[in-house]
Structure formats: C-alpha cells, structure tokens
Amino acid sequence: MATIFAILLCFSAFSLATAQQITLGSALSPTTNPTSWLSPSGRFAFGFYPEGSGFAVGIWLRTIPNKTIVWTAHRNDPPVSIDTRLVLNNSGWLLLIGPAGAQVKPISNASEPASSASMHDSGNFVLYNSNSRILWQSFDYPTDTILVGQPLKVDAVLISSASSFNHSTGGFTLVMHFPGALVNVPIIRTNTIDDIYWDSGTTGQGYNVSMNLGDDGRIYLLNNTGFNIKNLTNGTGYPLNPLVTYRVTLDADGIFRLYSHNFSSNSSSTPTVLWAPIIDGCRVYGLCGLNGFCTLMDTEADCSCPPGFNFVDPDYQFRGCGRNFTRPSCARNKKENIGYSMESLENTAWLNEPYEFHLSMTKDECRDSCLQDCYCEAALYSDGICNKQKLPLSFGRRSVSGTTATTTFIKVGSVNPADEPSIWTGTPANRRRGVRIEILIACIALAAGSFIGFEIFYFLVYRRHRLRYEAINNQPNISLTEGISLRSFSFVELEKATKCFKEELGKGAFGTVFKGSLSNTFIAVKRLDNMVEEREREFQTEMRAIARIHHKNLVRLMGFCDDGSHKLLVYEYMSNGSLADLIFRPESHPNWDERVRITLDIARGILYLHEECETQIIHCDIKPQNILMDASHSAKLSDFGLAKLMKPDQTKTFTGIRGTRGYVAPEWHRNMPITVKADVYSFGVVLLEIICCRKNVEREAPENEIILSDWVYNCFKAGELTKLISEEEVDVSMLEKMLMIGLWCMQDEPSLRPSMKKVVQMLEGIVDIPVPPINSFVSS
Ligand SMILES: *[C@@H]1O[C@H](CO)[C@@H](O)[C@H](O)[C@H]1NC(C)=O
Ligand SMILES: *[C@@H]1O[C@H](CO)[C@@H](O)[C@H](O)[C@H]1NC(C)=O
Ligand SMILES: *[C@@H]1O[C@H](CO)[C@@H](O)[C@H](O)[C@H]1NC(C)=O
Ligand SMILES: *[C@@H]1O[C@H](CO)[C@@H](O)[C@H](O)[C@H]1NC(C)=O
Ligand SMILES: *[C@@H]1O[C@H](CO)[C@@H](O)[C@H](O)[C@H]1NC(C)=O
Ligand SMILES: *[C@@H]1O[C@H](CO)[C@@H](O)[C@H](O)[C@H]1NC(C)=O
Ligand SMILES: *[C@@H]1O[C@H](CO)[C@@H](O)[C@H](O)[C@H]1NC(C)=O
Ligand SMILES: *[C@@H]1O[C@H](CO)[C@@H](O)[C@H](O)[C@H]1NC(C)=O
Ligand SMILES: *[C@@H]1O[C@H](CO)[C@@H](O)[C@H](O)[C@H]1NC(C)=O
Ligand SMILES: *[C@@H]1O[C@H](CO)[C@@H](O)[C@H](O)[C@H]1NC(C)=O
Ligand SMILES: *[C@@H]1O[C@H](CO)[C@@H](O)[C@H](O)[C@H]1NC(C)=O
C-alpha cells in the first residue's frame, strides 16, 4: 500500500494540497497554486481545469497525459477567466468569485452553510455541516459520468458532453426511467416516432431502480429493496485491484461505456474501454441531428447532410443540418414548385412517419409527386411505395452494404426560379393524383415502406414488443393473425392477476374492466359479460380489429383469454383514467395547451383507424369515457367493442344503431348508410367538450347554454367566443379555429364533414379552416 501511495504522490505535479479536510477560508485559483484539492490517494481532484478559452470547475481523474473530467459545475455556463477564485468562505459557502470580488456564483445549492468539505477517493466531493452531516455531494448531481459507488437513481439523468473537450451538455441522455428501465434517448425528441435507441429491458421490474457500478467493474441494476434485477455487464466482474478505477460515461457519441484506468504505471492510466452496449454507432438516434444521416464506415459512424443542407454547427454534428435556402410557406404560395428540383440519395432512409403515402408508384412518379406538392420536402421510395415527408427528417441512415432499396429524393432550390422553367413537368391530372390518398393499405406496408431494409426497423418492433411488454413477451405466444402475436391467458391466471376481479375500472360496451397486475406491470382486463352467441362475434371482432393496430393514440391489446364461457381481453393499463374524469371534474381542468394536444391525439388515433389501417375501422363509440390517458398524459382511444370493420372497397354500411346518446351522428337515426363520417361527428362533439370542459348537454345550464353545440354556434355567430371559456387566457384565434373545426365535424350532412385527415391538418395548422355553414343541427 505504501508503494502505491508513493507512486500516486508522484502525480501530484500541480497541487501541493493533500489535505483530506478542506477548511473554511480555503481557496483555489485557475493557475496559481493551489489549483485543486486532491483526494487522499491523489487520484481525484476538485478544482479548476482549462476549458475552451478559460477555466471550468470540476472533478477529474488525474490521468496522464490528459485529465479525465468526471464532473463539471455549471457545465453550460461559459468558462471563467483566469482571475476567478473558488472559495469555501469563512461563513461556509462554496463560491466562485470573479475579478475584484464581483460575480459571486455558488457551486452547491446546499441549504445551510458548511463547516468543512472533502474530496474523497471515490471521486465524490462533499460538503459537511458541524455534525458531519452531508449537506451536498457531487455524486447527487452527475453530469455524464458515474463512478464506483455512485448510483444513478430513478429519474436521474446522465447527459453527454458536447465533445471530449467541451463539457457542456451534448446530444444524448441516459435516463433511469420510472418504472424500472434505463433508457438512452437523444435530446432532440420527435413527436412522430419513438426515439429510444437503447434500453435495459427491465420495464416494470420494480420502482426506484438504480444503476450501479461496482468496485469490480460490474454494472448492475438494483430494485428498491436492493435486489439485483439485472447485470448489464457479465456477472463475474474483474478481480479487485486498488490500482484500477472504473467509470461509466455517456460519451459525446451517445454511447455509454465502461472504462478502466490502470494506475500502476503512468502511461497506462489512459482509459481502456471494457464494455459498451452499442457497437454500431449509427444506431444512436440523433447522432447526426435533424435532417442529417449516418453512414457506418468500417466501425466509425460518419455524419452527412443531404444535398441542399449544411451542418448547423460542423463541430457539433448532433445539432443536425439546415437548408441552405429558405422556402416560402405553402399556404401563401401554392405554386412555388417552379425553381425547385429533386436530388436523389441512394440507400438512404429516414425514420419519420410520412404525411402522405402512395402504393404502386414508379420511382419517377414518386419524385414528381413530391416536386409538385408544396408540402413535400422529401420522398422515400422503395418497392413501389412512395412516402412523402415534411421537414425535419429524423434519424437518417445510409446503408453501405447495398441491401436497402430505399431511395430518398430531396427537394432542393435552384438559384433563380426563372432559369429553370422546365422543372415543372407535372400535368394537372398528375397533381391531383398527388393529393389522393390510397386507403386500405396495410399498416405493415406503410411501416415496411418507410423502413424497408432499415435495420432500425428491428428497433421499432423491439420497442413496441419488448420495451413495454417484456414481461409478457417472455411467455409463450400464440399467433392470432399472421405477424401479430398476442398472449393467450388462462382464466385462472387472469383471476389471480385481478385478485378475483376486485378493482373495477369501468364499464365498456359488453363488458366490465378490472385492474390487474402481471409481474409488476399493471394491466386492464375486460371481462365480457354474458357471452351469448352474438357477443361471441363481437369478441372475435374486437380481437381481430385491434390485434393488428399499433398506434400511439390507441390503447393496445396485449392478450386475451378464450376459456370456454370466459372471454376476456387484456389491455395496457392507463394510469391516468379517462378523458371524462379529466375534463368534467369540477376542480381543475387541463390547461389550454394540454387540451389542444389531447384533441390532436384523439384525431390522430381516429385518422389511423379510418385511413391508415389494413382494414378501415369505424369506431362507432367515440366519447370521453372511451378516451384514456396514459402515464405520460397521451390520450388513447379505447373500447373497440362496437367497432365496425369495413371490407376492402366498402365505404358504407347499414347497421343497427351503435354508440352513446349525445355522441351519435344524426344519420344513425335516419336509416342512412354509415360511413367514417359518423366518427367525425362524434369527434366534433368530443372536441367541443374538451375545449369548453363541459358536457354536450347540461340540463342545469341557462336555457340557451343547455346544448353545447348550439351555444357554441351562437357565440361564434355573435363573435363572443370568450364567453365559452371561463377560466384562463387563451389564444382567441386558436380558440376560434378549434371551435370552427368542431362545428364542421358536427355538420348534419355527412358529406359536409371533413375527413379525419383534413381535421388533423386543420388542427396542425397546415390547411386553412373555412367558416362553417349555417348549421342544420342548431335546434329550431
Ligand atoms: C461547447 O458546446 C456548446 C454547445 O454544445 C457551445 O455553445 C459552446 O460554445 C462550446 N464551448 C466551447 C468552449 O467551444
Ligand atoms: C490530450 O489532449 C490533447 C489536446 O487537448 C490531444 O491533442 C491529445 O490527443 C490528448 N491525448 C490523449 C492521449 O488523449
Ligand atoms: C460568504 O458568502 C455568502 C454568500 O455570498 C455571504 O453572504 C457571506 O457574507 C460570505 N462570508 C464571508 C465571511 O465572506
Ligand atoms: C438542489 O437542486 C436539486 C435539483 O437540481 C433539488 O432537487 C434540490 O432540492 C436542491 N436542494 C436545495 C437545498 O435547494
Ligand atoms: C425486488 O426484486 C426481488 C426479486 O425479483 C423481488 O422479490 C422484490 O419484491 C423486488 N422488490 C420490489 C419492491 O419490487
Ligand atoms: C421510491 O423512493 C422514494 C424516495 O426514496 C419513496 O418515497 C417511494 O416510496 C419509493 N417507491 C417505491 C415504490 O418504493
Ligand atoms: C448478477 O450477478 C451477480 C453476481 O454474479 C449475481 O449474484 C446476480 O444474481 C446476477 N443477477 C442477475 C439478475 O442475474
Ligand atoms: C465475461 O465473461 C467472459 C467469458 O464468459 C470473460 O472472458 C470476461 O472476462 C468476462 N468479463 C467480465 C467483466 O468479467
Ligand atoms: C496495469 O498495468 C500494469 C503495468 O502495465 C500491468 O502489469 C497490469 O496487469 C495492469 N492491470 C490491469 C488490471 O490491467
Ligand atoms: C511516472 O511519471 C513520473 C514523471 O513523469 C516519473 O518520474 C515516474 O517514474 C513514473 N512512474 C512510473 C511508475 O512509471
Ligand atoms: C445549396 O445546395 C445545393 C445542393 O447541394 C447547391 O447546388 C447550391 O449551390 C447550394 N446553394 C447555396 C446558396 O449554397
């Protein structure tokens, strides 16, 4: 031990201080000694280190030749100048003091003054009060690194540094998510697709899970009772060696790695990578930022921008690429296509969901369709499928192996529109075709179209089936329909999971829903009551319909039980209740922005059923009670018990009345054929209810306010919209838009109601909203 000490003391080139206890009145400066406070062994130091053109305060491993920074105070603040001092002042506050005593900035947010501080050999810098109680410690505020004995607790986050020599926040996070999974996500979040690029596969395996690094170099997850639920590295670990230090760092490239530092000789104290969960650097979503794309060259991930784009910041490519020209907005200038051309990128694809797609197009048609469509910024083509995209494009990747057949066309601006009139090659007929959406397309085709040959496709499947339902996927599956696997449960299993159907969550069409739990994951179990023959058919319907659908705004079916007379459906559990609870409770309503977002969630869910599924589905029972809120407050449509599945080519159906009073469209009562527009009507009712936070019919209200839609229409005509919303300040033009959409949806004549696609576009502000006509629904 003495020799180790001796060796380590040799490293003490910069600082003479070896004190274990830092007393009040101690101070550091960036260049004159002391510049840092060392840990007893001298392996770690706390103090000033050079960063950019100045200095930062942090903790580092005293490796040679370069320091290994493991923590930085105020990492996003600009570096400080050479005449700054760091003091533990006589009253016990740890402060940065600028030139001439100015610019006092605390390093810790301890609530009371300290009486001493220590830099520990673990790499933890601690402030103590006079009773030796810890007031503050750097281990509680990790930046991009955790050290041996420093748990990454639930909801704690590691954020990568911008680069190896810039320790401000970069592009990636590693989060200990509730409940129980460690996930890697890029800082650029997209709302269109999930962006988790790595997870520990422990969702639902307990609360308060922490990631830990052992002194033997093992990385493992503990649940809140200290139980080891997973070893990320192999369970054996390395032989204990006091000369070796380990750390886990989320590197600037988004991959977290286990490093070791061997202090037995000077030169080998440079880091060695022992383990990393990701080998393929291009698998890190967001590595190349928005619009950029990644190419794997041997083992190096390399970022590029598509034609017509430049890096926003070439030094920090995770910030993505921006256009080298500006485009006028489409609404104002519909015919802007003159002056643009399409550049192609072979074997390159992005992971966005398209805003519009076509089956059976040729490559040239796909390119032209995008060129002539003002909203189209890029088109992904493969195997006859043309996916039209808006910006920004996310998570692009070029495959060098040549196995991908996806070609991406990018719209680029030419210098002077007048120079290239020949670009306008489309005929009007062509143009119209571009807007038509071919329905009845397999969702699978859609997915395959956008991700064909894309190995990340695996990842999407991975996230849908593994991440959330890993516990279930470990069980034997049965295949209900090709490509979709649902778990089959026995009645006894579900009886146990729901504790004999103890906790009722609500009643749906033909059944009661109960709360249950399966290996720490909550579930919702719908028991279909009194299964007579026609119910049997409903059961089959519901299963067939929803087994195939995957959309973030639809509640997901996880499995079923078909056990003699017992018919049950097992769903993901929605922890935040129904929309009805949320908007109709008297105490507090979701705020305006929240309500707008919920409306859009619902519209997207319905749009999916109407236009994006293999089988067109009319839900038939859209109402706030059937819209559930998940843990992240996303709205999801549930209860498909009344849903009507349309045959291919079928657009209307005659059927007995389905739905709930107050929400059903008038055509149900008139023996008219039913189309998807019946759902649009119900959506309109729900929209007005969400906006105004009250029920469509409220008998206690003043006479002219009893029927919400009538009242809305009258206020709309009179220009007194703010009467409708009591509480908060809202964006009146947005309020007007929302109400107009609601009034359009509630038109008596089905053909006047917009399609859900149009509704989504109106909500997104992509298309203008005309003034709704005098409504036949206004009671006379
Ligand atoms: C470090 O990166 C951030 C952005 O990530 C940038 O704003 C800052 O200027 C960089 N600092 C230096 C010293 O380069
Ligand atoms: C040490 O840092 C310098 C500049 O900061 C860099 O050029 C050099 O490659 C680094 N050395 C090692 C071994 O990382
Ligand atoms: C220490 O810093 C605190 C906070 O800025 C200040 O209130 C206090 O007066 C300082 N004490 C001394 C002795 O300078
Ligand atoms: C210090 O900041 C953290 C969050 O950064 C917060 O959770 C904690 O309560 C703060 N402590 C005090 C004493 O303010
Ligand atoms: C921790 O994990 C163990 C083993 O899986 C389990 O028995 C225990 O109940 C878990 N603790 C909690 C609180 O989940
Ligand atoms: C998680 O930890 C917090 C704080 O330590 C505690 O209040 C909470 O009860 C824990 N949750 C569970 C499920 O153990
Ligand atoms: C992880 O490894 C440790 C040590 O080998 C072992 O005790 C533990 O059971 C392992 N945990 C799991 C979940 O396999
Ligand atoms: C993991 O296991 C392999 C062989 O199974 C062994 O070679 C390796 O050293 C182990 N790693 C650790 C960290 O123990
Ligand atoms: C550390 O380095 C020394 C000298 O290079 C070497 O003998 C020893 O095996 C190394 N230890 C580890 C655990 O790598
Ligand atoms: C470490 O480096 C110092 C100075 O460069 C040198 O004096 C010392 O001998 C080295 N120690 C070892 C173990 O190589
Ligand atoms: C923009 O990029 C395109 C394609 O790379 C190029 O032809 C054009 O000259 C660039 N324009 C400007 C203004 O840099």
Side-chain angles (χ1 to χ4, degrees):
M1 202 59 199
T3 52
I4 297 167
F5 235 89
I7 293 168
L8 290 168
L9 280 175
C10 296
F11 298 160
S12 312
F14 301 109
S15 172
L16 305 170
T18 53
Q20 297 183 28
Q21 234 191 23
I22 297 141
T23 51
L24 299 187
S26 306
L28 298 173
S29 101
T31 47
T32 46
N33 280 334
T35 60
S36 63
W37 293 314
L38 299 189
S39 69
S41 69
R43 203 174 282 179
F44 283 96
F46 175 93
F48 287 102
Y49 69 86
E51 170 105 358
S53 54
F55 297 87
V57 171
I59 298 171
W60 61 92
L61 256 176
R62 300 179 64 229
T63 47
I64 291 175
N66 292 341
K67 294 171 178 155
T68 304
I69 312 295
V70 298
W71 184 81
T72 303
H74 304 296
R75 63 194 298 204
N76 286 328
D77 289 0
V80 298
S81 64
I82 196 162
D83 41 12
T84 308
R85 291 190 328 133
L86 179 70
V87 297
L88 181 58
N89 82 5
N90 285 324
S91 331
W93 301 104
L94 186 65
L95 306 163
L96 263 182
I97 299 181
Q103 295 170 33
V104 173
K105 182 158 73 178
I107 293 294
S108 85
N109 71 346
S111 53
E112 52 177 289
S115 56
S116 70
S118 283
M119 180 67 240
H120 288 273
D121 267 341
S122 57
N124 192 10
F125 183 80
V126 186
L127 294 176
Y128 296 96
N129 71 4
S130 52
N131 304 325
S132 303
R133 191 170 64 82
I134 294 176
L135 296 174
W136 181 91
Q137 53 183 334
S138 60
F139 268 19
D140 286 342
Y141 304 96
T143 52
D144 63 353
T145 297
I146 62 165
L147 298 168
V148 172
Q150 179 182 14
L152 184 71
K153 295 183 186 142
V154 69
D155 286 340
V157 183
L158 294 185
I159 304 180
S160 63
S161 290
S163 73
S164 54
F165 35 81
N166 179 343
H167 296 88
S168 61
T169 54
F172 309 93
T173 64
L174 180 71
V175 187
M176 196 70 227
H177 243 304
F178 177 87
L182 186 64
V183 299
N184 246 161
V185 290
I187 278 183
I188 317 162
R189 307 301 303 262
T190 59
N191 295 320
T192 45
I193 61 168
D194 238 276
D195 29 29
I196 294 169
Y197 60 84
W198 179 84
D199 84 282
S200 57
T202 49
T203 302
Q205 291 197 25
Y207 298 95
N208 290 356
V209 172
S210 62
M211 177 172 86
N212 299 270
L213 174 60
D215 54 3
D216 53 358
R218 281 186 305 129
I219 309 175
Y220 53 94
L221 305 182
L222 298 180
N223 75 4
N224 58 330
T225 46
F227 213 90
N228 181 322
I229 58 167
K230 181 145 185 168
N231 291 304
L232 292 183
T233 55
N234 68 4
T236 9
Y238 298 91
L240 286 178
N241 182 345
L243 290 173
V244 177
T245 294
Y246 301 95
R247 68 183 161 97
V248 172
T249 300
L250 178 59
D251 286 322
D253 63 1
I255 300 177
F256 73 101
R257 296 182 175 87
L258 171 64
Y259 288 93
S260 71
H261 297 269
N262 182 349
F263 281 91
S264 51
S265 72
N266 288 353
S267 56
S268 58
S269 63
T270 51
T272 309
V273 176
L274 296 176
W275 176 85
I278 297 173
I279 307 296
D280 170 1
C282 281
R283 213 156 115 175
V284 174
Y285 286 165
L287 183 70
C288 303
L290 294 175
N291 301 323
F293 65 93
C294 186
T295 314
L296 200 64
M297 306 285 211
D298 296 325
T299 55
E300 291 283 302
D302 187 61
C303 290
S304 319
C305 290
F309 288 77
N310 296 323
F311 281 115
V312 171
D313 184 344
D315 289 337
Y316 303 103
Q317 299 185 345
F318 63 84
R319 291 178 159 189
C321 306
R323 275 219 135 104
N324 71 359
F325 60 96
T326 51
R327 267 160 61 83
S329 93
C330 283
R332 267 185 285 121
N333 187 5
K334 285 263 188 235
K335 288 197 177 171
E336 47 72 71
N337 296 301
I338 298 172
Y340 294 96
S341 62
M342 303 300 288
E343 295 263 347
S344 71
L345 280 168
E346 297 301 328
N347 293 334
T348 307
W350 272 265
L351 270 189
N352 304 65
E353 282 170 16
Y355 72 93
E356 186 178 308
F357 57 94
H358 302 262
L359 282 183
S360 67
M361 266 196 172
T362 66
K363 222 176 194 176
D364 289 350
E365 282 170 340
C366 180
R367 187 194 55 216
D368 292 346
S369 165
C370 184
L371 180 60
Q372 290 151 22
D373 178 347
C374 180
Y375 294 113
C376 188
E377 309 270 11
L380 271 61
Y381 180 83
S382 82
D383 278 350
I385 299 167
C386 180
N387 284 300
K388 288 161 69 175
Q389 309 283 4
K390 292 177 195 164
L391 295 184
L393 300 169
S394 20
F395 312 148
R397 177 161 195 179
R398 163 173 280 179
S399 151
V400 281
S401 64
T403 50
T404 9
T406 304
T407 299
T408 294
F409 295 104
I410 304 276
K411 192 177 274 182
V412 298
S414 49
V415 189
N416 181 355
D419 288 348
E420 295 182 57
S422 59
I423 293 167
W424 183 258
T425 52
T427 65
N430 253 345
R431 238 175 299 157
R432 219 171 309 117
R433 175 157 190 210
V435 193
R436 212 183 89 226
I437 298 167
E438 291 149 68
I439 309 176
L440 300 174
I441 292 168
C443 309
I444 288 112
L446 166 64
S450 23
F451 313 124
I452 234 154
F454 219 86
E455 71 165 278
I456 296 174
F457 179 53
Y458 155 76
F459 234 76
L460 275 199
V461 176
Y462 172 86
R463 113 171 150 154
R464 293 212 160 113
H465 292 274
R466 274 269 302 288
L467 181 63
R468 272 194 230 163
Y469 310 116
E470 175 148 48
I472 286 160
N473 263 21
N474 291 338
Q475 318 283 342
N477 292 321
I478 69 135
S479 179
L480 183 76
T481 42
E482 64 286 24
I484 293 124
S485 49
L486 286 178
R487 184 172 163 209
S488 165
F489 294 85
S490 71
F491 182 70
V492 176
E493 245 175 311
L494 292 181
E495 207 173 33
K496 229 166 77 190
T498 57
K499 302 212 174 75
C500 295
F501 304 101
K502 206 170 92 200
E503 198 177 337
E504 187 178 315
L505 293 171
K507 285 204 191 301
F510 307 124
T512 312
V513 184
F514 300 91
K515 184 171 175 178
S517 80
L518 274 178
S519 21
N520 276 329
T521 312
F522 289 124
I523 52 172
V525 179
K526 180 170 167 190
R527 189 176 63 189
L528 300 166
D529 309 323
N530 300 324
M531 287 300 283
V532 290
E533 222 164 327
E534 64 172 319
R535 297 287 155 80
E536 173 89 37
R537 218 173 46 232
E538 299 295 350
F539 176 70
Q540 298 290 345
T541 302
E542 184 156 4
M543 280 220 308
R544 274 210 319 276
I546 64 174
R548 292 159 174 273
I549 57 185
H550 301 273
H551 190 274
K552 64 175 190 293
N553 300 119
L554 300 175
V555 170
R556 193 153 144 66
L557 182 69
M558 296 157 73
F560 63 96
C561 161
D562 190 355
D563 198 346
S565 63
H566 299 298
K567 311 276 189 221
L568 302 102
L569 297 169
V570 179
Y571 298 93
E572 64 177 311
Y573 174 70
M574 304 288 286
S575 54
N576 277 314
S578 80
L579 178 64
D581 303 337
L582 205 62
I583 58 174
F584 297 148
R585 66 176 175 208
E587 323 86 71
S588 72
H589 302 141
N591 68 27
W592 172 256
D593 289 347
E594 186 86 337
R595 303 214 296 277
V596 172
R597 193 184 52 71
I598 290 170
T599 310
L600 197 51
D601 277 355
I602 300 166
R604 288 192 177 125
I606 304 173
L607 169 64
Y608 176 87
L609 294 178
H610 288 182
E611 297 192 12
E612 294 168 358
C613 283
E614 185 173 7
T615 313
Q616 187 181 50
I617 297 172
I618 307 178
H619 184 280
C620 297
D621 200 12
I622 291 165
K623 57 179 178 180
Q625 289 75 10
N626 283 343
I627 294 157
L628 304 180
M629 308 301 297
D630 76 4
S632 59
H633 299 278
S634 288
K636 301 191 182 200
L637 216 48
S638 76
D639 205 335
F640 296 77
L642 297 179
K644 186 79 195 154
L645 307 197
M646 309 298 266
K647 297 191 190 70
D649 301 328
Q650 183 190 18
T651 57
K652 44 180 87 160
T653 174
F654 286 90
T655 163
I657 189 159
R658 300 167 179 228
T660 305
R661 248 181 98 167
Y663 298 92
V664 296
E667 59 267 29
W668 286 106
H669 301 288
R670 295 188 194 145
N671 207 20
M672 278 163 64
I674 296 307
T675 67
V676 289
K677 295 294 180 68
D679 279 351
V680 175
Y681 181 93
S682 312
F683 171 80
V685 181
V686 173
L687 185 153
L688 296 187
E689 291 184 334
I690 296 173
I691 295 309
C692 303
C693 285
R694 55 154 277 190
K695 295 197 169 107
N696 189 29
V697 180
E698 209 149 76
R699 305 212 174 273
E700 276 75 41
E703 210 196 332
N704 62 336
E705 298 179 12
I706 290 177
I707 310 281
L708 177 61
S709 46
D710 292 359
W711 185 34
V712 166
Y713 190 73
N714 291 329
C715 290
F716 180 73
K717 266 196 317 196
E720 299 172 331
L721 291 179
T722 43
K723 264 180 147 179
L724 293 160
I725 300 212
S726 45
E727 76 284 44
E728 73 260 274
E729 70 298 340
V730 299
D731 175 354
V732 177
S733 78
M734 188 64 192
L735 172 63
E736 179 179 67
K737 271 188 177 169
M738 298 290 285
L739 295 173
M740 288 199 316
I741 296 169
L743 294 174
W744 270 112
C745 291
M746 289 184 69
Q747 290 297 309
D748 219 347
E749 169 53 44
S751 62
L752 283 180
R753 296 174 209 149
S755 67
M756 281 318 289
K757 174 117 220 164
K758 199 56 167 264
V759 170
V760 168
Q761 289 174 342
M762 293 194 289
L763 289 169
E764 287 174 340
I766 298 170
V767 298
D768 293 329
I769 306 163
V771 175
I774 300 292
N775 278 271
S776 45
F777 66 73
V778 175
S779 2
S780 37

